[in-house]
Amino acid sequence: MKQTRAYRDALARYPTGVALVTVAEAGRARVMTVNSFASVSLEPPLVLWSLAHDSDRYRTFRDAERFAVNVLAADQESLATDGARLDDLDETGAAWSTGAHGTPLTADAVARFECRTIAVHEAGDHDIIVGEVLGFDAPRDAPALVFHKSEYSQAD
């Protein structure tokens, strides 16, 4: 598409939440910042997120049998930025623990979903990862972090 920048700018007008997707790999907690998280179904409980084919973390996240989605609070902007740069959750400085289903869960998230990957659909330059929610919680009541017009802000 010749108008790639204009297309991206138009998409940026749609506000999205910001989340960290985390997986356990060889005893390490891996992390990726996403704004493509969405609910798919209530019964059964299914969610999705998108993974770029050219990501240096592609194999780690594409091959994970389980993952967690950690919805970030407005005061966790630095964690979102670090999760975009770094692939090791410990290197971000985030406090985290292992959830009941073996996935890394970040402290102070506004919502957390532990999932089992049930489908991966190729879609253009991304894969759509669909997960069955195995467990969830909402450990903190705070405004969510939002990405809008290529900037962070908070949900009201």
Side-chain angles (χ1 to χ4, degrees):
M1 175 181 269
K2 293 187 185 258
Q3 298 181 349
T4 302
R5 182 73 250 167
Y7 179 62
R8 288 179 63 118
D9 290 346
L11 289 171
R13 293 182 180 270
Y14 181 69
T16 61
V18 182
L20 296 181
V21 174
T22 53
V23 300
E25 179 196 48
R28 310 274 327 234
R30 300 297 181 196
V31 62
M32 174 179 284
T33 301
V34 302
N35 68 343
S36 59
F37 172 64
S39 171
V40 175
S41 169
L42 294 176
E43 195 55 48
L46 302 175
V47 297
L48 67 76
W49 64 283
S50 299
L51 173 62
H53 291 162
D54 64 358
S55 170
D56 57 355
R57 302 172 222 186
Y58 178 80
R59 276 284 150 224
T60 297
F61 285 83
R62 166 67 175 79
D63 295 343
E65 293 180 14
R66 293 178 189 243
F67 63 89
V69 178
N70 303 267
V71 179
L72 297 181
D75 62 1
Q76 293 181 299
E77 181 179 329
S78 63
L79 182 53
T81 300
D82 288 345
R85 288 185 311 106
L86 305 167
D87 72 344
D88 189 309
L89 187 57
D90 286 328
E91 290 179 15
T92 69
W96 64 276
S97 60
T98 301
H101 300 280
T103 59
L105 298 175
T106 60
D108 297 328
V110 296
R112 305 180 300 191
F113 303 86
E114 286 193 273
C115 305
R116 177 178 63 87
T117 302
I118 62 163
V120 178
H121 303 284
E122 189 170 330
D125 58 2
H126 281 66
D127 284 347
I128 299 168
I129 312 292
V130 180
E132 175 186 20
V133 178
L134 304 173
F136 67 93
D137 65 0
R140 186 169 167 213
D141 186 18
L145 184 61
V146 173
F147 198 64
H148 180 238
K149 293 185 179 178
S150 301
E151 294 181 0
Y152 291 116
S153 62
Q154 77 176 39
D156 293 328

PDB file of all heavy atoms in Angstrom, residues 21-23 37-38 45-49 64-70 100-105 112-118 129-136:
ATOM      1  N   VAL A  21       1.514  -9.186  26.772  1.00  0.00           N
ATOM      2  CA  VAL A  21       1.337 -10.624  26.627  1.00  0.00           C
ATOM      3  C   VAL A  21       2.605 -11.247  27.184  1.00  0.00           C
ATOM      4  O   VAL A  21       3.718 -10.805  26.872  1.00  0.00           O
ATOM      5  CB  VAL A  21       1.108 -11.033  25.164  1.00  0.00           C
ATOM      6  CG1 VAL A  21       1.062 -12.551  25.023  1.00  0.00           C
ATOM      7  CG2 VAL A  21      -0.186 -10.414  24.640  1.00  0.00           C
ATOM      8  N   THR A  22       2.434 -12.244  28.041  1.00  0.00           N
ATOM      9  CA  THR A  22       3.581 -12.897  28.667  1.00  0.00           C
ATOM     10  C   THR A  22       3.492 -14.406  28.465  1.00  0.00           C
ATOM     11  O   THR A  22       2.391 -14.974  28.406  1.00  0.00           O
ATOM     12  CB  THR A  22       3.642 -12.590  30.177  1.00  0.00           C
ATOM     13  OG1 THR A  22       2.388 -12.920  30.779  1.00  0.00           O
ATOM     14  CG2 THR A  22       3.960 -11.116  30.421  1.00  0.00           C
ATOM     15  N   VAL A  23       4.644 -15.033  28.333  1.00  0.00           N
ATOM     16  CA  VAL A  23       4.745 -16.483  28.226  1.00  0.00           C
ATOM     17  C   VAL A  23       5.934 -16.947  29.049  1.00  0.00           C
ATOM     18  O   VAL A  23       6.871 -16.186  29.293  1.00  0.00           O
ATOM     19  CB  VAL A  23       4.894 -16.964  26.756  1.00  0.00           C
ATOM     20  CG1 VAL A  23       3.700 -16.538  25.913  1.00  0.00           C
ATOM     21  CG2 VAL A  23       6.190 -16.485  26.132  1.00  0.00           C
ATOM     22  N   PHE A  37      -5.351  -6.665  21.652  1.00  0.00           N
ATOM     23  CA  PHE A  37      -6.127  -7.591  22.482  1.00  0.00           C
ATOM     24  C   PHE A  37      -7.626  -7.323  22.339  1.00  0.00           C
ATOM     25  O   PHE A  37      -8.059  -6.169  22.345  1.00  0.00           O
ATOM     26  CB  PHE A  37      -5.698  -7.423  23.945  1.00  0.00           C
ATOM     27  CG  PHE A  37      -6.540  -8.180  24.927  1.00  0.00           C
ATOM     28  CD1 PHE A  37      -6.588  -9.562  24.914  1.00  0.00           C
ATOM     29  CD2 PHE A  37      -7.293  -7.500  25.878  1.00  0.00           C
ATOM     30  CE1 PHE A  37      -7.360 -10.260  25.822  1.00  0.00           C
ATOM     31  CE2 PHE A  37      -8.061  -8.187  26.797  1.00  0.00           C
ATOM     32  CZ  PHE A  37      -8.091  -9.563  26.770  1.00  0.00           C
ATOM     33  N   ALA A  38      -8.402  -8.387  22.201  1.00  0.00           N
ATOM     34  CA  ALA A  38      -9.859  -8.244  22.099  1.00  0.00           C
ATOM     35  C   ALA A  38     -10.556  -9.501  22.584  1.00  0.00           C
ATOM     36  O   ALA A  38     -10.015 -10.608  22.514  1.00  0.00           O
ATOM     37  CB  ALA A  38     -10.273  -7.965  20.656  1.00  0.00           C
ATOM     38  N   PRO A  45     -15.199 -18.782  26.893  1.00  0.00           N
ATOM     39  CA  PRO A  45     -14.444 -17.532  26.996  1.00  0.00           C
ATOM     40  C   PRO A  45     -13.196 -17.575  26.115  1.00  0.00           C
ATOM     41  O   PRO A  45     -12.271 -18.345  26.372  1.00  0.00           O
ATOM     42  CB  PRO A  45     -14.089 -17.446  28.482  1.00  0.00           C
ATOM     43  CG  PRO A  45     -14.121 -18.862  28.966  1.00  0.00           C
ATOM     44  CD  PRO A  45     -15.131 -19.577  28.120  1.00  0.00           C
ATOM     45  N   LEU A  46     -13.201 -16.742  25.063  1.00  0.00           N
ATOM     46  CA  LEU A  46     -12.091 -16.692  24.122  1.00  0.00           C
ATOM     47  C   LEU A  46     -11.646 -15.248  23.921  1.00  0.00           C
ATOM     48  O   LEU A  46     -12.476 -14.334  23.923  1.00  0.00           O
ATOM     49  CB  LEU A  46     -12.510 -17.257  22.755  1.00  0.00           C
ATOM     50  CG  LEU A  46     -13.033 -18.678  22.706  1.00  0.00           C
ATOM     51  CD1 LEU A  46     -13.509 -19.022  21.292  1.00  0.00           C
ATOM     52  CD2 LEU A  46     -11.977 -19.668  23.165  1.00  0.00           C
ATOM     53  N   VAL A  47     -10.346 -15.075  23.744  1.00  0.00           N
ATOM     54  CA  VAL A  47      -9.751 -13.772  23.450  1.00  0.00           C
ATOM     55  C   VAL A  47      -8.791 -13.936  22.281  1.00  0.00           C
ATOM     56  O   VAL A  47      -8.438 -15.054  21.904  1.00  0.00           O
ATOM     57  CB  VAL A  47      -9.016 -13.179  24.669  1.00  0.00           C
ATOM     58  CG1 VAL A  47      -9.982 -12.918  25.830  1.00  0.00           C
ATOM     59  CG2 VAL A  47      -7.862 -14.072  25.110  1.00  0.00           C
ATOM     60  N   LEU A  48      -8.364 -12.793  21.717  1.00  0.00           N
ATOM     61  CA  LEU A  48      -7.368 -12.833  20.652  1.00  0.00           C
ATOM     62  C   LEU A  48      -6.391 -11.682  20.792  1.00  0.00           C
ATOM     63  O   LEU A  48      -6.667 -10.700  21.476  1.00  0.00           O
ATOM     64  CB  LEU A  48      -8.028 -12.797  19.271  1.00  0.00           C
ATOM     65  CG  LEU A  48      -8.772 -11.539  18.827  1.00  0.00           C
ATOM     66  CD1 LEU A  48      -7.855 -10.400  18.404  1.00  0.00           C
ATOM     67  CD2 LEU A  48      -9.689 -11.881  17.665  1.00  0.00           C
ATOM     68  N   TRP A  49      -5.274 -11.827  20.146  1.00  0.00           N
ATOM     69  CA  TRP A  49      -4.293 -10.751  19.982  1.00  0.00           C
ATOM     70  C   TRP A  49      -3.505 -11.062  18.721  1.00  0.00           C
ATOM     71  O   TRP A  49      -3.552 -12.182  18.211  1.00  0.00           O
ATOM     72  CB  TRP A  49      -3.397 -10.604  21.211  1.00  0.00           C
ATOM     73  CG  TRP A  49      -2.511 -11.765  21.520  1.00  0.00           C
ATOM     74  CD1 TRP A  49      -2.865 -12.946  22.111  1.00  0.00           C
ATOM     75  CD2 TRP A  49      -1.121 -11.877  21.239  1.00  0.00           C
ATOM     76  NE1 TRP A  49      -1.782 -13.767  22.211  1.00  0.00           N
ATOM     77  CE2 TRP A  49      -0.700 -13.134  21.693  1.00  0.00           C
ATOM     78  CE3 TRP A  49      -0.193 -11.018  20.659  1.00  0.00           C
ATOM     79  CZ2 TRP A  49       0.619 -13.570  21.578  1.00  0.00           C
ATOM     80  CZ3 TRP A  49       1.122 -11.442  20.541  1.00  0.00           C
ATOM     81  CH2 TRP A  49       1.513 -12.714  21.000  1.00  0.00           C
ATOM     82  N   ALA A  64       4.056 -20.730  21.820  1.00  0.00           N
ATOM     83  CA  ALA A  64       3.655 -20.902  23.224  1.00  0.00           C
ATOM     84  C   ALA A  64       2.299 -21.602  23.316  1.00  0.00           C
ATOM     85  O   ALA A  64       1.343 -21.213  22.640  1.00  0.00           O
ATOM     86  CB  ALA A  64       3.591 -19.549  23.923  1.00  0.00           C
ATOM     87  N   GLU A  65       2.226 -22.611  24.155  1.00  0.00           N
ATOM     88  CA  GLU A  65       0.957 -23.310  24.368  1.00  0.00           C
ATOM     89  C   GLU A  65       0.032 -22.520  25.286  1.00  0.00           C
ATOM     90  O   GLU A  65      -1.191 -22.664  25.217  1.00  0.00           O
ATOM     91  CB  GLU A  65       1.213 -24.694  24.963  1.00  0.00           C
ATOM     92  CG  GLU A  65       1.915 -25.628  24.004  1.00  0.00           C
ATOM     93  CD  GLU A  65       2.171 -26.996  24.610  1.00  0.00           C
ATOM     94  OE1 GLU A  65       1.581 -27.322  25.669  1.00  0.00           O
ATOM     95  OE2 GLU A  65       2.971 -27.741  24.013  1.00  0.00           O
ATOM     96  N   ARG A  66       0.619 -21.703  26.152  1.00  0.00           N
ATOM     97  CA  ARG A  66      -0.148 -20.866  27.076  1.00  0.00           C
ATOM     98  C   ARG A  66       0.435 -19.463  27.082  1.00  0.00           C
ATOM     99  O   ARG A  66       1.631 -19.283  26.878  1.00  0.00           O
ATOM    100  CB  ARG A  66      -0.131 -21.442  28.488  1.00  0.00           C
ATOM    101  CG  ARG A  66      -0.868 -22.757  28.572  1.00  0.00           C
ATOM    102  CD  ARG A  66      -0.802 -23.353  29.960  1.00  0.00           C
ATOM    103  NE  ARG A  66      -1.345 -24.697  29.919  1.00  0.00           N
ATOM    104  CZ  ARG A  66      -2.427 -25.094  30.568  1.00  0.00           C
ATOM    105  NH1 ARG A  66      -3.079 -24.242  31.330  1.00  0.00           N
ATOM    106  NH2 ARG A  66      -2.853 -26.323  30.472  1.00  0.00           N
ATOM    107  N   PHE A  67      -0.414 -18.495  27.339  1.00  0.00           N
ATOM    108  CA  PHE A  67       0.018 -17.104  27.435  1.00  0.00           C
ATOM    109  C   PHE A  67      -0.892 -16.388  28.412  1.00  0.00           C
ATOM    110  O   PHE A  67      -1.982 -16.872  28.739  1.00  0.00           O
ATOM    111  CB  PHE A  67       0.009 -16.410  26.064  1.00  0.00           C
ATOM    112  CG  PHE A  67      -1.346 -16.305  25.422  1.00  0.00           C
ATOM    113  CD1 PHE A  67      -2.179 -15.213  25.672  1.00  0.00           C
ATOM    114  CD2 PHE A  67      -1.788 -17.292  24.558  1.00  0.00           C
ATOM    115  CE1 PHE A  67      -3.426 -15.111  25.086  1.00  0.00           C
ATOM    116  CE2 PHE A  67      -3.042 -17.193  23.954  1.00  0.00           C
ATOM    117  CZ  PHE A  67      -3.866 -16.099  24.219  1.00  0.00           C
ATOM    118  N   ALA A  68      -0.434 -15.244  28.881  1.00  0.00           N
ATOM    119  CA  ALA A  68      -1.273 -14.378  29.719  1.00  0.00           C
ATOM    120  C   ALA A  68      -1.357 -13.015  29.064  1.00  0.00           C
ATOM    121  O   ALA A  68      -0.406 -12.551  28.426  1.00  0.00           O
ATOM    122  CB  ALA A  68      -0.699 -14.248  31.123  1.00  0.00           C
ATOM    123  N   VAL A  69      -2.508 -12.377  29.225  1.00  0.00           N
ATOM    124  CA  VAL A  69      -2.698 -10.996  28.804  1.00  0.00           C
ATOM    125  C   VAL A  69      -2.867 -10.186  30.076  1.00  0.00           C
ATOM    126  O   VAL A  69      -3.747 -10.475  30.894  1.00  0.00           O
ATOM    127  CB  VAL A  69      -3.928 -10.833  27.893  1.00  0.00           C
ATOM    128  CG1 VAL A  69      -4.121  -9.368  27.528  1.00  0.00           C
ATOM    129  CG2 VAL A  69      -3.796 -11.702  26.643  1.00  0.00           C
ATOM    130  N   ASN A  70      -1.990  -9.214  30.272  1.00  0.00           N
ATOM    131  CA  ASN A  70      -1.977  -8.356  31.447  1.00  0.00           C
ATOM    132  C   ASN A  70      -2.376  -6.953  31.000  1.00  0.00           C
ATOM    133  O   ASN A  70      -1.595  -6.271  30.328  1.00  0.00           O
ATOM    134  CB  ASN A  70      -0.574  -8.317  32.056  1.00  0.00           C
ATOM    135  CG  ASN A  70      -0.053  -9.693  32.429  1.00  0.00           C
ATOM    136  OD1 ASN A  70      -0.214 -10.132  33.550  1.00  0.00           O
ATOM    137  ND2 ASN A  70       0.572 -10.384  31.473  1.00  0.00           N
ATOM    138  N   ALA A 100      -1.757 -19.629  38.234  1.00  0.00           N
ATOM    139  CA  ALA A 100      -2.195 -21.010  38.457  1.00  0.00           C
ATOM    140  C   ALA A 100      -2.012 -21.883  37.213  1.00  0.00           C
ATOM    141  O   ALA A 100      -1.903 -23.105  37.326  1.00  0.00           O
ATOM    142  CB  ALA A 100      -3.666 -21.023  38.877  1.00  0.00           C
ATOM    143  N   HIS A 101      -1.958 -21.274  36.039  1.00  0.00           N
ATOM    144  CA  HIS A 101      -1.832 -22.032  34.793  1.00  0.00           C
ATOM    145  C   HIS A 101      -0.445 -21.903  34.169  1.00  0.00           C
ATOM    146  O   HIS A 101      -0.252 -22.194  32.994  1.00  0.00           O
ATOM    147  CB  HIS A 101      -2.933 -21.610  33.820  1.00  0.00           C
ATOM    148  CG  HIS A 101      -4.293 -21.853  34.387  1.00  0.00           C
ATOM    149  ND1 HIS A 101      -4.894 -23.097  34.394  1.00  0.00           N
ATOM    150  CD2 HIS A 101      -5.146 -21.026  35.021  1.00  0.00           C
ATOM    151  CE1 HIS A 101      -6.063 -23.018  34.990  1.00  0.00           C
ATOM    152  NE2 HIS A 101      -6.244 -21.776  35.385  1.00  0.00           N
ATOM    153  N   GLY A 102       0.521 -21.442  34.978  1.00  0.00           N
ATOM    154  CA  GLY A 102       1.914 -21.438  34.566  1.00  0.00           C
ATOM    155  C   GLY A 102       2.387 -20.245  33.771  1.00  0.00           C
ATOM    156  O   GLY A 102       3.506 -20.257  33.264  1.00  0.00           O
ATOM    157  N   THR A 103       1.568 -19.218  33.668  1.00  0.00           N
ATOM    158  CA  THR A 103       1.969 -18.045  32.892  1.00  0.00           C
ATOM    159  C   THR A 103       2.396 -16.908  33.810  1.00  0.00           C
ATOM    160  O   THR A 103       1.885 -16.777  34.920  1.00  0.00           O
ATOM    161  CB  THR A 103       0.824 -17.563  31.981  1.00  0.00           C
ATOM    162  OG1 THR A 103      -0.302 -17.233  32.788  1.00  0.00           O
ATOM    163  CG2 THR A 103       0.454 -18.629  30.958  1.00  0.00           C
ATOM    164  N   PRO A 104       3.302 -16.054  33.353  1.00  0.00           N
ATOM    165  CA  PRO A 104       3.719 -14.897  34.156  1.00  0.00           C
ATOM    166  C   PRO A 104       2.596 -13.859  34.234  1.00  0.00           C
ATOM    167  O   PRO A 104       2.032 -13.465  33.206  1.00  0.00           O
ATOM    168  CB  PRO A 104       4.913 -14.335  33.383  1.00  0.00           C
ATOM    169  CG  PRO A 104       5.351 -15.434  32.464  1.00  0.00           C
ATOM    170  CD  PRO A 104       4.115 -16.193  32.141  1.00  0.00           C
ATOM    171  N   LEU A 105       2.288 -13.419  35.449  1.00  0.00           N
ATOM    172  CA  LEU A 105       1.262 -12.404  35.679  1.00  0.00           C
ATOM    173  C   LEU A 105       1.907 -11.195  36.337  1.00  0.00           C
ATOM    174  O   LEU A 105       2.566 -11.324  37.368  1.00  0.00           O
ATOM    175  CB  LEU A 105       0.148 -12.946  36.581  1.00  0.00           C
ATOM    176  CG  LEU A 105      -0.630 -14.143  36.040  1.00  0.00           C
ATOM    177  CD1 LEU A 105      -1.616 -14.648  37.089  1.00  0.00           C
ATOM    178  CD2 LEU A 105      -1.339 -13.791  34.747  1.00  0.00           C
ATOM    179  N   ARG A 112      -6.125  -9.497  34.308  1.00  0.00           N
ATOM    180  CA  ARG A 112      -5.168 -10.494  33.823  1.00  0.00           C
ATOM    181  C   ARG A 112      -5.941 -11.726  33.375  1.00  0.00           C
ATOM    182  O   ARG A 112      -6.883 -12.153  34.049  1.00  0.00           O
ATOM    183  CB  ARG A 112      -4.173 -10.869  34.919  1.00  0.00           C
ATOM    184  CG  ARG A 112      -3.455  -9.655  35.491  1.00  0.00           C
ATOM    185  CD  ARG A 112      -2.470  -9.981  36.554  1.00  0.00           C
ATOM    186  NE  ARG A 112      -3.064 -10.645  37.711  1.00  0.00           N
ATOM    187  CZ  ARG A 112      -2.429 -10.835  38.863  1.00  0.00           C
ATOM    188  NH1 ARG A 112      -1.189 -10.411  39.008  1.00  0.00           N
ATOM    189  NH2 ARG A 112      -3.033 -11.438  39.861  1.00  0.00           N
ATOM    190  N   PHE A 113      -5.524 -12.290  32.242  1.00  0.00           N
ATOM    191  CA  PHE A 113      -6.191 -13.446  31.653  1.00  0.00           C
ATOM    192  C   PHE A 113      -5.144 -14.503  31.342  1.00  0.00           C
ATOM    193  O   PHE A 113      -4.231 -14.239  30.562  1.00  0.00           O
ATOM    194  CB  PHE A 113      -6.912 -13.049  30.361  1.00  0.00           C
ATOM    195  CG  PHE A 113      -7.921 -11.950  30.544  1.00  0.00           C
ATOM    196  CD1 PHE A 113      -7.526 -10.620  30.491  1.00  0.00           C
ATOM    197  CD2 PHE A 113      -9.251 -12.245  30.793  1.00  0.00           C
ATOM    198  CE1 PHE A 113      -8.446  -9.592  30.667  1.00  0.00           C
ATOM    199  CE2 PHE A 113     -10.177 -11.222  30.972  1.00  0.00           C
ATOM    200  CZ  PHE A 113      -9.781  -9.907  30.910  1.00  0.00           C
ATOM    201  N   GLU A 114      -5.273 -15.676  31.940  1.00  0.00           N
ATOM    202  CA  GLU A 114      -4.397 -16.797  31.608  1.00  0.00           C
ATOM    203  C   GLU A 114      -5.108 -17.638  30.557  1.00  0.00           C
ATOM    204  O   GLU A 114      -6.272 -17.995  30.717  1.00  0.00           O
ATOM    205  CB  GLU A 114      -4.103 -17.653  32.834  1.00  0.00           C
ATOM    206  CG  GLU A 114      -3.134 -17.004  33.790  1.00  0.00           C
ATOM    207  CD  GLU A 114      -2.634 -17.997  34.806  1.00  0.00           C
ATOM    208  OE1 GLU A 114      -3.308 -18.146  35.837  1.00  0.00           O
ATOM    209  OE2 GLU A 114      -1.583 -18.627  34.564  1.00  0.00           O
ATOM    210  N   CYS A 115      -4.393 -17.933  29.473  1.00  0.00           N
ATOM    211  CA  CYS A 115      -5.026 -18.555  28.311  1.00  0.00           C
ATOM    212  C   CYS A 115      -4.234 -19.739  27.779  1.00  0.00           C
ATOM    213  O   CYS A 115      -3.021 -19.816  27.943  1.00  0.00           O
ATOM    214  CB  CYS A 115      -5.152 -17.528  27.183  1.00  0.00           C
ATOM    215  SG  CYS A 115      -6.016 -16.025  27.656  1.00  0.00           S
ATOM    216  N   ARG A 116      -4.959 -20.608  27.092  1.00  0.00           N
ATOM    217  CA  ARG A 116      -4.376 -21.720  26.340  1.00  0.00           C
ATOM    218  C   ARG A 116      -4.597 -21.414  24.868  1.00  0.00           C
ATOM    219  O   ARG A 116      -5.727 -21.118  24.453  1.00  0.00           O
ATOM    220  CB  ARG A 116      -5.076 -23.028  26.710  1.00  0.00           C
ATOM    221  CG  ARG A 116      -4.614 -24.244  25.936  1.00  0.00           C
ATOM    222  CD  ARG A 116      -5.330 -25.503  26.410  1.00  0.00           C
ATOM    223  NE  ARG A 116      -6.764 -25.455  26.181  1.00  0.00           N
ATOM    224  CZ  ARG A 116      -7.383 -25.836  25.052  1.00  0.00           C
ATOM    225  NH1 ARG A 116      -6.668 -26.277  24.034  1.00  0.00           N
ATOM    226  NH2 ARG A 116      -8.694 -25.780  24.953  1.00  0.00           N
ATOM    227  N   THR A 117      -3.532 -21.445  24.077  1.00  0.00           N
ATOM    228  CA  THR A 117      -3.661 -21.186  22.644  1.00  0.00           C
ATOM    229  C   THR A 117      -4.492 -22.286  22.012  1.00  0.00           C
ATOM    230  O   THR A 117      -4.188 -23.469  22.167  1.00  0.00           O
ATOM    231  CB  THR A 117      -2.275 -21.113  21.965  1.00  0.00           C
ATOM    232  OG1 THR A 117      -1.506 -20.086  22.587  1.00  0.00           O
ATOM    233  CG2 THR A 117      -2.396 -20.854  20.473  1.00  0.00           C
ATOM    234  N   ILE A 118      -5.567 -21.891  21.318  1.00  0.00           N
ATOM    235  CA  ILE A 118      -6.407 -22.899  20.652  1.00  0.00           C
ATOM    236  C   ILE A 118      -6.395 -22.761  19.128  1.00  0.00           C
ATOM    237  O   ILE A 118      -6.782 -23.694  18.431  1.00  0.00           O
ATOM    238  CB  ILE A 118      -7.859 -22.884  21.165  1.00  0.00           C
ATOM    239  CG1 ILE A 118      -8.539 -21.553  20.875  1.00  0.00           C
ATOM    240  CG2 ILE A 118      -7.913 -23.240  22.647  1.00  0.00           C
ATOM    241  CD1 ILE A 118     -10.056 -21.628  20.992  1.00  0.00           C
ATOM    242  N   ILE A 129      -3.680 -14.800  17.234  1.00  0.00           N
ATOM    243  CA  ILE A 129      -3.585 -15.846  18.244  1.00  0.00           C
ATOM    244  C   ILE A 129      -4.900 -15.854  19.020  1.00  0.00           C
ATOM    245  O   ILE A 129      -5.284 -14.839  19.606  1.00  0.00           O
ATOM    246  CB  ILE A 129      -2.422 -15.585  19.229  1.00  0.00           C
ATOM    247  CG1 ILE A 129      -1.122 -15.244  18.490  1.00  0.00           C
ATOM    248  CG2 ILE A 129      -2.271 -16.734  20.211  1.00  0.00           C
ATOM    249  CD1 ILE A 129      -0.510 -16.349  17.693  1.00  0.00           C
ATOM    250  N   VAL A 130      -5.588 -16.986  19.022  1.00  0.00           N
ATOM    251  CA  VAL A 130      -6.842 -17.121  19.756  1.00  0.00           C
ATOM    252  C   VAL A 130      -6.581 -18.005  20.965  1.00  0.00           C
ATOM    253  O   VAL A 130      -5.986 -19.082  20.844  1.00  0.00           O
ATOM    254  CB  VAL A 130      -7.955 -17.738  18.883  1.00  0.00           C
ATOM    255  CG1 VAL A 130      -9.252 -17.880  19.671  1.00  0.00           C
ATOM    256  CG2 VAL A 130      -8.179 -16.898  17.630  1.00  0.00           C
ATOM    257  N   GLY A 131      -7.018 -17.526  22.130  1.00  0.00           N
ATOM    258  CA  GLY A 131      -6.809 -18.281  23.356  1.00  0.00           C
ATOM    259  C   GLY A 131      -8.088 -18.515  24.122  1.00  0.00           C
ATOM    260  O   GLY A 131      -8.978 -17.656  24.152  1.00  0.00           O
ATOM    261  N   GLU A 132      -8.165 -19.690  24.717  1.00  0.00           N
ATOM    262  CA  GLU A 132      -9.255 -20.000  25.640  1.00  0.00           C
ATOM    263  C   GLU A 132      -8.842 -19.505  27.023  1.00  0.00           C
ATOM    264  O   GLU A 132      -7.748 -19.836  27.498  1.00  0.00           O
ATOM    265  CB  GLU A 132      -9.496 -21.504  25.695  1.00  0.00           C
ATOM    266  CG  GLU A 132     -10.528 -21.905  26.724  1.00  0.00           C
ATOM    267  CD  GLU A 132     -10.644 -23.405  26.876  1.00  0.00           C
ATOM    268  OE1 GLU A 132      -9.710 -24.149  26.486  1.00  0.00           O
ATOM    269  OE2 GLU A 132     -11.669 -23.833  27.421  1.00  0.00           O
ATOM    270  N   VAL A 133      -9.675 -18.699  27.649  1.00  0.00           N
ATOM    271  CA  VAL A 133      -9.363 -18.159  28.965  1.00  0.00           C
ATOM    272  C   VAL A 133      -9.535 -19.267  30.011  1.00  0.00           C
ATOM    273  O   VAL A 133     -10.621 -19.822  30.171  1.00  0.00           O
ATOM    274  CB  VAL A 133     -10.250 -16.938  29.294  1.00  0.00           C
ATOM    275  CG1 VAL A 133      -9.946 -16.430  30.693  1.00  0.00           C
ATOM    276  CG2 VAL A 133     -10.053 -15.839  28.254  1.00  0.00           C
ATOM    277  N   LEU A 134      -8.449 -19.576  30.714  1.00  0.00           N
ATOM    278  CA  LEU A 134      -8.454 -20.602  31.751  1.00  0.00           C
ATOM    279  C   LEU A 134      -8.672 -20.010  33.136  1.00  0.00           C
ATOM    280  O   LEU A 134      -9.143 -20.687  34.039  1.00  0.00           O
ATOM    281  CB  LEU A 134      -7.131 -21.372  31.734  1.00  0.00           C
ATOM    282  CG  LEU A 134      -6.751 -22.029  30.407  1.00  0.00           C
ATOM    283  CD1 LEU A 134      -5.341 -22.604  30.491  1.00  0.00           C
ATOM    284  CD2 LEU A 134      -7.766 -23.094  30.039  1.00  0.00           C
ATOM    285  N   GLY A 135      -8.298 -18.762  33.292  1.00  0.00           N
ATOM    286  CA  GLY A 135      -8.437 -18.065  34.564  1.00  0.00           C
ATOM    287  C   GLY A 135      -8.263 -16.582  34.339  1.00  0.00           C
ATOM    288  O   GLY A 135      -7.623 -16.166  33.377  1.00  0.00           O
ATOM    289  N   PHE A 136      -8.851 -15.787  35.209  1.00  0.00           N
ATOM    290  CA  PHE A 136      -8.737 -14.338  35.083  1.00  0.00           C
ATOM    291  C   PHE A 136      -8.942 -13.694  36.434  1.00  0.00           C
ATOM    292  O   PHE A 136      -9.502 -14.293  37.349  1.00  0.00           O
ATOM    293  CB  PHE A 136      -9.749 -13.772  34.069  1.00  0.00           C
ATOM    294  CG  PHE A 136     -11.177 -13.908  34.520  1.00  0.00           C
ATOM    295  CD1 PHE A 136     -11.803 -12.871  35.200  1.00  0.00           C
ATOM    296  CD2 PHE A 136     -11.884 -15.069  34.278  1.00  0.00           C
ATOM    297  CE1 PHE A 136     -13.113 -13.003  35.637  1.00  0.00           C
ATOM    298  CE2 PHE A 136     -13.195 -15.208  34.703  1.00  0.00           C
ATOM    299  CZ  PHE A 136     -13.813 -14.167  35.381  1.00  0.00           C
TER     300      PHE A 136
END
